[in-house]
Amino acid sequence: MPKVAAIILQQNTTPSRACAEALALQSHALHHTATCQYNTAGNAVEAINCALQHAFNVQKADFVWILPADATPAQDCLEQLLQADNDNIIRTAVIRCGEADNLPYPIPMTDGSHLYKTEQLPQTGTFVCGGAWFGALYPRAAYHKIGALNHALVAYGEGEEYAARAAAAGFSFCAVSGAAISVATTPACVLHYKIGPYSYFYQCGLSRKERYYTMRNWAWIQRVQYPRHYLRRLIACGFYILFTLRAMLQANEVSIPRIYTIFRGLHNGFYGKLRPFRKNKNKKIS
């Protein structure tokens, strides 16, 4: 029987009682559960890496299951995820938010599009997707091949980057419709734009620091996904800037410092410079 360790990620909270009860009732019993608590985004990646190392190297788990603190997996969720005979496929559950139409974590597809509404989910039992973090079941082989999370990402897209690195290392992702997880968190205010099959999401209300890291890390992830496609990444960054400026206007978040922040973040990420945010006016954001 495969040994599965659940890692619950939480910031300044404790796992919900419903989460603990749902994990205890899984039809495939968990080997152990670890709570990965952090106070700030700055120490989040370090805490997650410690939990991953403990699960695989100390507890000798075969899989690690990444979950948010308010997750309530269905009783057979883990059992559904384990029904695979290919170690190169990372299977992930489908996360829903109560009765909301929008998926709290839009599912990326291999063609660059996203599934962001429940009605868009395929009716088939499983379907190929472009990557996953929350709800995903990562095998030991993936951890040993790609290592720990990138601490320089400072908890803004570190899961997405980890999935991109797994895909670059030869792993593919598959979402399991029957493996259901519900979350209680109300989705943040997110603006959604589409151009053809591609989707762009803008989260409102972020600070300049948070916006810098989201922009920088998005551009960095493009480097991981398309290392040899310079022109493609350049065009993607151009559209990303246009949609970001449009969303900032719609959300009434336009200011000269914020515009400078998004350009500086994209510039650093595009050229592979994972430099920290600096707010000091006497210093450049470099």
Side-chain angles (χ1 to χ4, degrees), residues 55-277:
F56 284 120
N57 296 338
V58 178
Q59 296 292 337
K60 304 300 181 182
D62 299 307
F63 296 91
V64 157
W65 196 16
I66 308 296
L67 298 169
D70 61 343
T72 306
Q75 187 172 356
D76 65 342
C77 184
L78 183 55
E79 184 178 0
Q80 293 273 350
L81 292 176
L82 287 169
Q83 293 179 2
D85 56 1
N86 191 332
D87 292 337
N88 287 326
I89 296 179
I90 299 173
R91 291 161 69 88
T92 182
V94 174
I95 301 178
R96 302 169 185 258
C97 184
E99 300 299 325
D101 293 333
N102 293 343
L103 298 172
Y105 304 100
I107 301 174
M109 305 301 286
T110 54
D111 63 356
S113 63
H114 286 75
L115 302 183
Y116 64 97
K117 289 186 175 294
T118 55
E119 63 186 22
Q120 295 176 324
L121 292 172
Q123 300 300 313
T124 56
T126 61
F127 58 93
V128 176
C129 62
W133 179 238
F134 282 133
L137 197 66
Y138 277 85
R140 174 192 293 271
Y143 178 75
H144 284 172
K145 194 167 186 178
I146 62 179
L149 273 71
N150 189 342
H151 66 87
L153 295 184
V154 200
Y156 295 96
E158 78 286 353
E160 184 180 354
E161 196 253 9
Y162 198 73
R165 284 164 53 199
F171 294 89
S172 57
F173 289 83
C174 180
V176 183
S177 299
I181 295 177
S182 62
V183 293
T185 303
T186 302
C189 177
V190 176
L191 302 178
H192 174 241
Y193 304 98
K194 293 192 69 176
I195 177 169
Y198 302 101
S199 293
Y200 169 75
F201 300 92
Y202 178 90
Q203 184 174 345
C204 305
L206 296 183
S207 66
R208 279 185 58 203
K209 178 180 179 180
E210 292 170 328
R211 185 70 63 200
Y212 170 79
Y213 282 120
T214 56
M215 302 296 285
R216 186 202 69 174
N217 293 353
W218 178 87
W220 168 264
I221 291 169
Q222 302 306 302
R223 287 177 60 90
V224 176
Q225 292 177 324
Y226 312 108
R228 300 180 180 179
H229 296 81
Y230 180 91
L231 184 59
R232 174 173 180 165
R233 291 190 285 114
L234 187 63
I235 294 173
C237 283
F239 279 109
Y240 201 77
I241 289 173
L242 291 176
F243 280 123
T244 299
L245 291 174
R246 177 183 174 184
M248 289 173 67
L249 284 170
Q250 186 174 342
N252 195 26
E253 295 181 352
V254 176
S255 68
I256 297 300
R258 285 183 176 272
I259 292 175
Y260 174 79
T261 295
I262 67 171
F263 275 92
R264 194 61 179 174
L266 277 179
H267 172 272
N268 284 344
F270 185 86
Y271 288 105
K273 301 174 182 178
L274 293 179
R275 295 171 175 171
F277 173 81

